[in-house]
Amino acid sequence: MSAVLERVLLPRLGFAAAWREAARGLLLRRVPPEQVDWQRADDSPGLPLFGANADTPVIGDEEFRMPRVLLGLIEDVLCANVPDRFSLPYRAVWRAQAERHLLGDESDPDMARVRVLSKLVHRDAHKMKAFVRFCEEASHGDRRAFAAWFEPDHFIVEATAPFFARRFGDVDWRIETPSGCAVCTNGALRFSAETQKPAALADPTEDLWRTYYTNIFNPARLKVKAMQSEMPKKYWKNLPEAGLIPGLVASAEQRVIAMRGAEATLPAARSLRMEPYQQPAAMAGDVAPDRRDLEQQILDCTRCLLHCNATQAVRGEGPDRAAIMVVGEQPGDQEDLAGSPFVGPAGRELDAAFAAAGLDRASTFVTNAVKHFKHSMRGKRRIHERPGISEIVACKWWLEQEVALVRPRIIVALGATASLAVIGNGTAITARQGQIEQSLFGPPVIVTGHPAAILRMPEAAHADRLRHELAGALRTASRAV
Ligand code: SF4
């Protein structure tokens, strides 16, 4: 066995950046993984940062090639609360230099562990986004101030805090955890190794939240195991609504019996007036999925690797029973941050086309063929990348569920990716523009260009033609229903 020659000591905060810098130096000096001892500063007090042999001469000055997907996975593994969180990623990047197909090797033990840890870290980050509960505390300035206590399983605070900074940019907040704290003041995010559990704060909105939770709790839909898997008991102690759950579960059966025995309620008069305009009966054998379940499953989806680098899955938006479903390609940069489809520049083109077609976007269901944003980094910019066939096929599962939920009478497919997902035909749109074709899911489909193509068109006349075609397709759909 080779002796350990390098000891790398990583700080408690900023460990990911420090690891990247150290790993790059080690790779440049061609130090093999078995000769590196990775440690965290507070595990080994007194050792110098970046170890004993940091002055080993650099051999060559080549750049390293690394699949972006692997880099994304590694960022996750660095946050995992396991002893090999630093050594495993280094071994993976070391091996990736020589083994071109390492990433795709499903049977490789290192890559299998990398994927498992990435998944655990993602799940922990997802739970943090779902279960952090802020309480208002005394503010020392003009802005309101909030504090929360959260106990993650992994070292995810630095990686996950930007999500809260984007979402709650108009207030000051701090999230305290046992291993450090994230503080956002006037929109500026900082981290501290010092942590202080907020004193029990009385938040007047908690009662309101408990009342709301009690009212949306549907005893007929109760599945205790599924609920506990989604909301594990370890988080309960910091959730104000958790105290209600045992009582709600215990009384669920009685409430269901009472609901069954109660008189049927009549539909509202407005619903009766709408009946003639409603869609045909459901297709035989089809069972519409529950929307909330479906949306949560999409948010948790890891069917392909696109979830690794995106902020969140972007689910379709619109009424449950929209007559028209509009399917785009995938979320863009702004959609990925906002969690809503078509809110960026392409969305504005789509809105303009809706207006030109005299169609209300809010009456349609707007979604994408692929639910996570595929991109590559150029400097600090996230550049859109077209989804691959395997990603489109993996994500078609969700599109099919959305179609089963909404049961549209007609689908408008925007661009070749949407056409491939909906019809199974991804050939050029130009020749098929405005045609009505048959979807794989049942309803007919109108094929047209994606609004992002308008933005890419250098000639104003061509851009206008695409705008005209897009509005025309929406108008045709509107007339068809
Ligand atoms: Fe799942 Fe679709 Fe996201 Fe892939 S792109 S992880 S299939 S939701």
Side-chain angles (χ1 to χ4, degrees):
M1 218 173 109
S2 321
V4 169
L5 299 178
E6 292 277 347
R7 176 163 288 129
V8 182
L9 197 59
L10 297 175
R12 196 163 152 187
L13 289 174
F15 56 80
W19 181 92
R20 282 194 294 272
E21 191 184 328
R24 184 177 170 75
L26 292 165
L27 284 174
L28 280 168
R29 286 184 280 119
R30 305 214 174 116
V31 183
E34 58 275 13
Q35 291 187 7
V36 187
D37 177 20
W38 297 91
Q39 305 227 2
R40 210 175 76 162
D42 46 355
D43 297 336
S44 311
L47 287 176
L49 196 63
F50 300 143
N53 292 347
D55 54 353
T56 309
V58 170
I59 305 165
D61 58 355
E62 71 264 53
E63 288 291 319
F64 295 101
R65 300 183 79 80
M66 200 72 59
R68 288 192 188 283
V69 173
L70 179 59
L71 287 179
L73 291 168
I74 280 170
E75 294 282 327
D76 296 337
V77 177
L78 293 173
C79 301
N81 189 6
V82 291
D84 55 345
R85 59 189 275 223
F86 301 131
S87 57
L88 172 65
Y90 184 61
R91 197 160 60 246
V93 296
W94 171 268
R95 291 182 56 201
Q97 303 307 306
E99 299 172 43
R100 284 186 56 212
H101 301 296
L102 179 66
L103 185 63
D105 186 351
E106 299 283 337
S107 61
D108 183 85
D110 279 346
M111 289 313 301
R113 183 159 167 76
V114 162
R115 289 199 177 91
V116 167
L117 292 177
S118 164
K119 206 166 172 182
L120 289 176
V121 167
H122 262 265
R123 183 173 163 80
D124 204 26
H126 174 65
K127 297 295 176 208
M128 180 171 172
K129 291 173 191 171
F131 296 141
V132 159
R133 295 284 186 269
F134 286 105
C135 285
E136 189 154 13
E137 57 180 3
S139 167
H140 303 296
D142 300 337
R143 289 158 63 93
R144 296 172 71 190
F146 293 81
W149 172 253
F150 187 73
E151 296 173 26
D153 290 338
H154 301 280
F155 301 102
I156 54 166
V157 176
E158 285 178 82
T160 314
F163 165 85
F164 293 93
R166 286 193 298 273
R167 181 159 283 193
F168 305 115
D170 55 341
V171 296
D172 293 341
W173 54 261
R174 64 191 169 100
I175 301 175
E176 305 277 355
T177 76
S179 60
C181 139
V183 182
C184 190
T185 312
N186 294 322
L189 190 57
R190 66 184 169 80
F191 299 95
S192 163
E194 302 299 318
T195 190
Q196 188 188 2
K197 188 171 180 177
L201 299 166
D203 190 325
T205 60
E206 277 189 6
D207 281 341
L208 189 62
W209 167 242
R210 284 195 196 92
T211 308
Y212 173 74
Y213 187 82
T214 307
N215 280 287
I216 59 162
F217 185 92
N218 184 346
R221 289 244 172 95
L222 177 64
K223 289 182 192 147
V224 177
K225 277 198 180 148
M227 185 184 73
Q228 286 185 356
S229 136
E230 185 50 37
M231 191 190 211
K233 276 195 165 173
K234 64 183 174 187
Y235 298 110
W236 286 23
K237 59 180 180 284
N238 297 316
L239 299 177
E241 69 272 28
L244 302 169
I245 294 173
L248 290 169
V249 171
S251 63
E253 202 177 329
Q254 282 306 319
R255 286 179 61 197
V256 171
I257 293 170
M259 282 160 71
R260 282 201 194 113
E263 291 279 316
T265 51
L266 288 172
R270 192 175 66 87
S271 308
L272 291 174
R273 284 202 303 275
M274 291 301 292
E275 234 168 42
Y277 303 98
Q278 281 170 353
Q279 304 174 58
M283 281 168 276
D286 272 356
V287 178
D290 176 80
R291 182 160 186 170
R292 279 209 304 167
D293 285 355
L294 175 60
E295 292 188 336
Q296 191 57 51
Q297 286 172 31
I298 294 175
L299 284 178
D300 291 341
C301 179
T302 55
R303 290 170 69 92
C304 76
L305 290 177
L306 291 191
H307 73 279
C308 297
N309 291 330
T311 310
Q312 59 194 315
V314 177
R315 301 150 297 175
E317 283 184 1
D320 278 359
R321 285 285 184 270
I324 299 174
M325 176 181 264
V326 178
V327 182
E329 181 192 73
Q330 62 161 346
D333 183 66
Q334 294 191 25
E335 287 80 6
D336 169 78
L337 297 176
S340 291
F342 285 100
V343 293
R348 286 191 282 282
E349 285 291 346
L350 183 63
D351 287 344
F354 270 114
L359 185 59
D360 180 11
R361 171 173 167 167
S363 70
T364 67
F365 191 92
V366 179
T367 189
N368 281 299
V370 172
K371 308 293 187 237
H372 276 108
F373 176 35
K374 181 170 183 179
H375 60 276
S376 56
M377 298 302 294
R378 195 171 300 156
K380 289 190 173 172
R381 291 181 59 214
R382 303 194 299 171
I383 307 298
H384 162 276
E385 275 190 13
R386 210 167 172 175
I389 184 94
S390 61
E391 290 141 358
I392 296 169
V393 169
C395 216
K396 190 154 75 71
W397 169 265
W398 299 123
L399 186 58
E400 198 168 349
Q401 299 284 313
E402 286 179 323
V403 173
L405 169 81
V406 177
R407 298 172 190 273
R409 284 204 257 164
I410 195 159
I411 299 174
V412 181
L414 306 176
T417 299
S419 166
L420 181 60
V422 175
I423 304 169
N425 177 358
T427 54
I429 296 299
T430 324
R432 301 160 58 206
Q433 160 64 40
Q435 279 183 20
I436 299 194
E437 302 183 21
Q438 189 57 45
S439 77
L440 300 169
F441 314 126
V445 188
I446 300 181
V447 183
T448 188
H450 194 283
I454 300 171
L455 302 169
R456 290 195 295 268
M457 205 47 81
E459 305 249 344
H462 289 162
D464 283 345
R465 179 177 53 78
L466 294 186
R467 280 191 189 101
H468 182 71
E469 288 173 353
L470 178 58
L474 292 173
R475 201 175 295 117
T476 308
S478 173
R479 285 185 189 140
V481 300

